[in-house]
């Protein structure tokens, strides 16, 4: 399996999916929400043709979440 890197377009698509899931109430900001991350990973695979896994989606979510709070504290 080839390595997959987050590119700008894929990241924007991922964020749009997170927003949709949050609005629908199917994702919560917890560490153990694997079902939602699996569904998002599958949708990313279908739309981008890349091998995004639920672990990659989970890590990217938490990386962005941490970065958001770091920026919020700095402001």
């Amino acid at each position: 399996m080839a390595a997959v890197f987050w590119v700008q377009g894929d990241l924007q698509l991922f964020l749009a999916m997170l927003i949709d899931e949050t609005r629908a109430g199917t994702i919560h900001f917890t560490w153990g929400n694997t079902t939602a991350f699996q569904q998002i990973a599958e949708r990313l695979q279908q739309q981008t043709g890349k091998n995004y896994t639920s672990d990659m989606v989970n890590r990217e979510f938490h990386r962005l979440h941490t970065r958001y709070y770091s920026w919020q504290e700095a402001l």
Side-chain angles (χ1 to χ4, degrees):
M1 182 183 314
V4 177
F5 300 100
W6 290 94
V7 293
Q8 187 65 30
D10 294 353
L11 189 57
Q12 289 174 341
L13 185 59
F14 172 58
L15 290 173
M17 289 178 188
L18 281 176
I19 291 167
D20 291 343
E21 295 293 328
T22 302
R23 286 183 180 158
T26 56
I27 191 169
H28 304 284
F29 297 105
T30 62
W31 292 94
N33 201 345
T34 56
T35 303
F37 291 135
Q38 287 173 343
Q39 292 171 352
I40 291 173
E42 290 171 6
R43 288 176 31 208
L44 277 171
Q45 288 175 5
Q46 292 170 353
Q47 293 184 20
T48 65
K50 298 178 183 175
N51 290 325
Y52 286 108
T53 65
S54 61
D55 288 338
M56 291 173 67
V57 170
N58 188 1
R59 282 192 306 269
E60 187 65 13
F61 169 79
H62 292 294
R63 186 187 71 78
L64 292 170
H65 196 249
T66 301
R67 183 178 261 178
Y68 167 78
Y69 280 108
S70 296
W71 275 100
Q72 189 179 34
E73 287 178 11
L75 295 176

